[in-house]
Amino acid sequence: MLPEGCISEIISFTTPVDTIRSSVISRGFKVAAESDVVWDKFLPSDHQNIVSRSVSPILFDNKKDLYFRLSKSPILLDEGKMSFWLDKTNGKKCYLLSSRQLTISFSDTELFWEHTFDADSRFPEVALLNNVDLLDIRGMIGTRELSSGTNYAAYFVFKVSERYHGLESTNAMVRFVNQENEDEAEERATIVILAARTPRNLKGRLPEKRTNGWLEVEIGKFYNGDDNGDVEARLLDSRPLHAKVGLIIEGIEFRPI
């Protein structure tokens, strides 16, 4: 007996998963569950701005169509320097910053780093490490770009070449830039093992293989409140006279836990 608009308003306070389930109750619920009123609540409030930054036009028939377009396949933003998508179950925002969007020590010197094409990457270029002693990789994003009131984790997305060397112990840390200085973050850094011939003899977090063939290792976790300024995810290996070779970087990913 309730009007369709009233049912849509009620459904919009649930979740995308619950909305899909409710649509099979009856024809009335199906119509209400497909309303733009519902799916506009599940989309980020700044979704129009995000879509406008896409490298390619985003075609969609309605807000539900746009939601599933953004949750099924990432879109490239800002001249292909970052990738964006929605978590399929809850609509939280996810970003992958490309190697070109990261701050990498000596990355502007071809002797140390190359920017090259990789067929497995969603980005036009990846960063290939030739040889450095200081490995310092930083990815920064404004917390306003992320979903508020959400637990996030930052992940380093990478591969290694067959001739890799010196990647068995790297410090990983995440910090809010305006709340913690670099020295404080380094003091509580955790160890990650990017690649090692005999990882059983080492202590540190190991990478996991993604479905697309890349590897990922968690850099750290954080809670995103209303506005914490910029958040920085960083990998640092400053061991002197210890060459690092063969790292291939796709980027740093921020996604909800």
Side-chain angles (χ1 to χ4, degrees):
M1 299 295 292
L2 290 173
E4 177 188 314
C6 184
I7 297 175
S8 295
E9 188 68 24
I10 294 170
I11 294 174
S12 72
F13 286 97
T14 63
T15 67
V17 173
D18 290 331
T19 299
I20 296 300
R21 289 172 178 163
S22 69
S23 67
V24 302
I25 293 174
S26 67
R27 183 181 179 279
F29 264 84
K30 185 177 188 301
V31 173
E34 292 182 349
S35 167
D36 278 355
V37 172
V38 175
W39 293 96
D40 191 58
K41 289 280 188 72
F42 298 149
L43 288 164
S45 59
D46 59 346
H47 69 269
Q48 292 181 337
N49 173 262
I50 293 171
V51 169
S52 70
R53 293 158 54 195
S54 175
V55 170
S56 303
I58 307 299
L59 304 177
F60 57 94
D61 297 325
N62 49 51
K63 293 297 179 69
K64 177 184 176 183
D65 188 27
L66 176 60
Y67 180 93
F68 281 99
R69 169 69 180 84
L70 295 177
S71 63
K72 286 182 178 179
S73 56
I75 61 174
L76 293 180
L77 307 180
D78 302 345
E79 301 178 343
K81 292 181 180 179
M82 67 169 61
S83 175
F84 170 84
W85 68 100
L86 296 177
D87 184 285
K88 190 179 298 185
T89 59
N90 54 33
K92 302 291 187 180
K93 294 191 278 187
C94 310
Y95 285 91
L96 175 58
L97 310 184
S98 74
S99 60
R100 282 292 193 183
Q101 192 73 1
L102 306 180
T103 301
I104 305 173
S105 58
F106 307 112
S107 62
D108 56 349
T109 305
E110 290 187 9
L111 178 65
F112 303 121
W113 291 89
E114 293 179 36
H115 293 279
T116 183
F117 171 77
D118 189 303
D120 294 329
S121 177
R122 69 185 67 175
F123 299 116
E125 293 179 319
V126 297
L128 170 62
L129 172 58
N130 289 325
N131 193 322
V132 294
D133 276 352
L134 173 62
L135 183 66
D136 192 355
I137 303 165
R138 307 170 189 239
M140 189 182 300
I141 190 169
T143 54
R144 287 188 176 183
E145 295 271 0
L146 305 174
S147 298
S148 62
T150 303
N151 289 304
Y152 272 89
Y155 299 87
F156 184 57
V157 184
F158 68 103
K159 294 192 294 188
V160 293
S161 67
E162 292 182 0
R163 64 183 186 89
Y164 77 83
H165 175 75
L167 305 176
E168 68 281 349
S169 180
T170 305
N171 291 321
M173 65 210 82
V174 171
R175 70 182 179 107
F176 293 115
V177 176
N178 62 359
Q179 297 179 18
E180 186 178 27
N181 62 43
E182 293 183 1
D183 292 338
E184 291 171 336
E186 289 179 27
E187 287 179 2
R188 59 170 184 79
T190 58
I191 302 295
V192 297
I193 302 169
L194 300 181
R197 309 294 180 188
T198 55
R200 293 180 182 177
N201 300 326
L202 300 171
K203 292 183 179 181
R205 190 180 296 128
L206 291 168
E208 298 180 2
K209 193 165 187 177
R210 294 157 67 102
T211 56
N212 59 7
W214 290 86
L215 298 171
E216 70 172 31
V217 66
E218 182 189 298
I219 301 174
K221 299 182 177 76
F222 62 97
Y223 176 75
N224 187 39
D226 293 331
D227 183 11
N228 294 307
D230 292 334
V231 60
E232 178 187 76
R234 184 185 183 194
L235 293 174
L236 175 66
D237 185 352
S238 57
R239 290 174 292 170
L241 304 176
H242 192 90
K244 294 89 180 173
V245 178
L247 183 63
I248 304 169
I249 303 174
E250 181 169 50
I252 290 179
E253 184 171 288
F254 296 88
R255 69 174 190 257
I257 302 171

